[in-house]
Amino acid sequence: GAPQAYAFLLGRHLDANPRHYTLTPPGPAALMAELASLASPLRTVLDPACGTGGLLTAARERAAEETGEQGGEQKGTAALTLHGQEADPDLAALTALRLALLAPDARVRVRAGDTLRADAFPAAAADAVLLHPPFNERNWGHDELAYDPRWEYGFPARTESELAWVQHALARLRAGGTAVLLMPPAAASRRSGRRIRADLLRRGALRAVIALPAGAAPPNGVPLHLWVLRKPGGGAPASPRLLVVDTAGLATTPATAGRDKIDWPAVRAVAVDAWRGFDRDDALTQEPGVRRSLAAIDLLDDDVDLAPAAELARVREELATTLARTTALADTATQAGPADGTRRFGEGAAGEPGPARWPLTTVGELARSGALVMRAGGTGTAPPGGAPAVLTDHDVLGGDAPSGTLPEAASAGAEEPVLVRAGDVVVPVLGGGAVARVIDDATAGAALGRNLTLLRPAPAAVDPWFLAGFLRGTANTRQASSYASTATRLDVRRLQLPRLPLADQARYGRRFRDLAAFEESLRHAARLGGQLVQALHDGLTDGSVAPE
């Protein structure tokens, strides 16, 4: 077909002239289009430096997905208008044909010309502007355009061509429209642009700065940023805020490390989830080192540094707080005796430690007596109309939130998944480790994944923290495990715990809960420390942190 043949030929032409063109790869292009579409459907999209049309192509694909999801009589992209402008006349012609072939039902208008000096769409009121502007241009029209009405937030310095493009994008949006720009990290911190950045913040126009991993787009050695802007409608917000997201630490795995091997689904999930929650009500759950909502007034200092790398000081401060809390929890968790200070079971008359001599029972016996319910994970399919996240064995081992997904139902009679409740105890059965996790309110409602066993204790019979604590004993898991040449499997029914009254169980449960809080604090400190080290590496290598 003509679209496929043309795409092949255009790709060969671009590959043969790699230094002549700056391309926007499909990963960041799709992310930019999705971020722009979350507030309202894409109907009119403008790219004032469209190049080969990668961003407009992503917008067309996003619009097609939206109409397909919404269903109804109207299909495809008949309501979509794509505006593009490109300084190179030959490239503008190639891009116009590309878009016309890919979106025959959309209205496509691509014009040749220098956008900042000779805007082809001066009356545009676009729903979205997607833009990968030229970086570090000195000859962008500084001398000729000093009194241009587009500089609503301040006249850009000669060295701030990117901030000229930012204001052009805002000028061509309708009120409430969204612009997403791919920006160099220096634009967030250069002193020559601090007054414009400050006004963008004060008036609520700049909504988010999202740091991408290095290699996301040319130049590949620099971790570029996405700026998400919203054209204000009416007066300035009373207390504007800025969303700061850093995806660099979540972007790669050992299997995807290296240039052109970025884990875009992971980057997209972090960025879209943060932007969706923040754009709804300006607030979201903070995830240190990954995402944070900041009051604009807190950024309006002498530098107005918006780079996520500027969070170094905040991460360092939070790391210090976490380490202090870890020390306090260590003192609490390692105090002698049960939580109420009474003598431990197994102590001698003088309070000296000794081996415990208490009657034992097994998980299997408790299940048969009705003291707890035992369920295996990994069964069930996604119900119609939405599915819960799946708690995987990796999530349990790492102390993470549910990250898996259920398979689609193959038939109307498909089995329902096992959903966890607060107070359940979940045990991995593979790997040979001593792990048991008590489900909290944040995890409740997730589906139980493969290689996990759920224990649901009766409240009047078994304390969940007591149960989880004793199941984690190394000797306990060793005697209940079977060993093969390639794997170790835990028989949960054979795990043992003492027969104790509920009040005694609760005393031990409180101590095990302290140990769990101490363990989570250690994990959090390790994550913060890793993020701080990586951020310092990035700052030193991109020039935003000086070695002195």
Side-chain angles (χ1 to χ4, degrees):
Q4 293 79 9
Y6 184 77
F8 171 78
L9 293 171
L10 180 61
R12 291 293 297 271
H13 172 67
L14 298 175
D15 291 341
N17 300 274
R19 297 190 178 184
H20 188 64
Y21 304 114
T22 299
L23 306 180
T24 307
L31 175 57
M32 293 168 70
E34 184 169 6
L35 292 171
S37 70
L38 290 178
S40 60
L42 298 179
R43 292 293 178 261
T44 302
V45 183
L46 168 66
D47 183 351
C50 63
T52 60
L55 291 173
L56 291 175
T57 299
R60 179 260 174 191
E61 293 172 351
R62 179 64 186 171
E65 291 175 6
E66 288 177 343
T67 54
E69 291 169 1
Q70 292 167 3
E73 297 180 359
Q74 182 178 328
K75 294 286 185 180
T77 55
L80 181 64
T81 298
L82 300 175
H83 293 318
Q85 186 166 351
E86 169 55 41
D88 183 336
D90 293 335
L91 191 55
L94 292 171
T95 298
L97 182 53
R98 176 188 185 185
L99 295 171
L101 290 171
L102 286 174
D105 52 349
R107 292 182 290 277
V108 176
R109 297 175 63 197
V110 178
R111 300 290 183 262
D114 183 329
T115 294
L116 293 180
R117 289 185 174 91
D119 184 14
F121 305 100
D127 297 308
V129 174
L130 303 179
L131 176 57
H132 181 177
F135 295 164
N136 302 316
E137 277 197 332
R138 295 298 182 98
N139 185 28
W140 58 267
H142 177 269
D143 295 336
E144 306 101 293
L145 301 171
Y147 302 103
D148 195 287
R150 288 172 292 183
W151 314 144
E152 186 178 347
Y153 299 87
F155 180 42
R158 189 183 303 275
T159 56
E160 294 289 351
S161 61
E162 295 88 1
L163 294 182
W165 285 103
V166 165
Q167 295 191 75
H168 174 82
L170 284 167
R172 297 298 170 259
L173 285 171
R174 63 167 174 79
T178 303
V180 184
L181 281 74
L182 191 61
M183 299 282 281
S189 55
R190 282 190 297 242
R191 287 187 62 82
S192 55
R194 64 187 185 278
R195 292 185 179 178
I196 294 176
R197 293 195 300 270
D199 207 29
L200 289 169
L201 286 173
R202 286 191 195 96
R203 298 173 62 180
L206 180 56
R207 300 284 290 151
V209 177
I210 301 170
L212 299 178
N220 289 292
V222 178
L224 301 180
H225 294 170
L226 291 180
W227 285 25
V228 184
L229 302 110
R230 177 71 48 72
K231 184 167 184 175
S239 54
R241 301 186 69 84
L242 178 73
L243 170 67
V244 176
V245 182
D246 189 354
T247 66
L250 308 174
T252 59
T253 64
T256 62
R259 184 186 292 186
D260 301 327
K261 295 184 179 179
I262 292 173
D263 187 357
W264 280 108
V267 174
R268 175 206 163 274
V270 171
V272 171
D273 180 63
W275 171 241
R276 180 184 284 117
F278 174 81
D279 194 41
R280 186 169 52 244
D281 55 12
D282 274 9
L284 77 166
T285 303
Q286 175 183 323
E287 191 171 341
V290 177
R291 64 186 196 183
R292 188 179 182 125
S293 172
L294 304 170
I297 194 171
D298 293 336
L299 296 165
L300 298 178
D301 54 17
D302 290 340
D303 295 321
V304 196
D305 193 341
L306 310 181
E311 290 286 280
L312 281 174
R314 298 183 181 91
V315 173
R316 185 165 55 246
E317 180 182 348
E318 185 161 359
L319 177 59
T321 302
T322 300
L323 289 174
R325 181 172 184 269
T326 301
T327 302
L329 287 170
D331 293 340
T332 300
T334 56
Q335 291 171 358
D340 62 355
T342 60
R343 191 174 66 192
R344 291 179 298 203
F345 287 95
E347 287 182 337
E352 298 177 355
R357 295 182 178 85
W358 42 45
L360 298 175
T361 186
T362 65
V363 169
E365 291 173 352
L366 291 173
R368 287 191 293 271
S369 68
L372 58 81
V373 175
M374 186 172 176
R375 299 287 300 275
T379 60
T381 55
V390 175
L391 183 68
T392 69
D393 54 346
H394 296 291
D395 300 330
V396 174
L397 293 170
D400 299 322
S403 64
T405 56
L406 288 169
E408 295 294 331
S411 64
E415 186 175 354
E416 294 185 0
V418 177
L419 303 183
V420 300
R421 302 176 188 170
D424 289 348
V425 177
V426 176
V427 183
V429 298
L430 292 182
V435 178
R437 174 170 169 178
V438 179
I439 300 299
D440 57 13
D441 291 333
T443 309
L448 190 68
R450 293 171 58 84
N451 302 318
L452 292 174
T453 296
L454 177 145
L455 304 176
R456 181 168 292 157
V462 180
D463 181 89
W465 286 100
F466 166 81
L467 173 63
F470 274 95
L471 296 190
R472 286 192 58 171
T474 301
N476 198 6
T477 56
R478 185 182 295 123
Q479 63 84 27
S481 297
S482 57
Y483 302 90
S485 58
T486 58
T488 301
R489 187 171 188 87
L490 180 69
D491 184 351
V492 178
R493 292 181 177 275
R494 291 168 52 195
L495 288 170
Q496 299 175 338
L497 63 158
R499 291 183 181 273
L500 297 178
L502 195 59
D504 292 336
Q505 293 181 33
R507 292 206 301 273
Y508 276 90
R510 287 191 290 273
R511 181 64 65 230
F512 287 131
R513 187 193 290 264
D514 291 340
L515 284 172
F518 176 54
E519 183 178 43
E520 177 55 33
S521 187
L522 287 175
R523 286 198 190 101
H524 187 41
R527 287 194 292 266
L528 287 172
Q531 291 161 9
L532 182 60
V533 169
Q534 185 59 52
L536 286 169
H537 274 285
D538 292 342
L540 288 166
T541 55
D542 68 19
S544 60
V545 175
E548 291 80 12

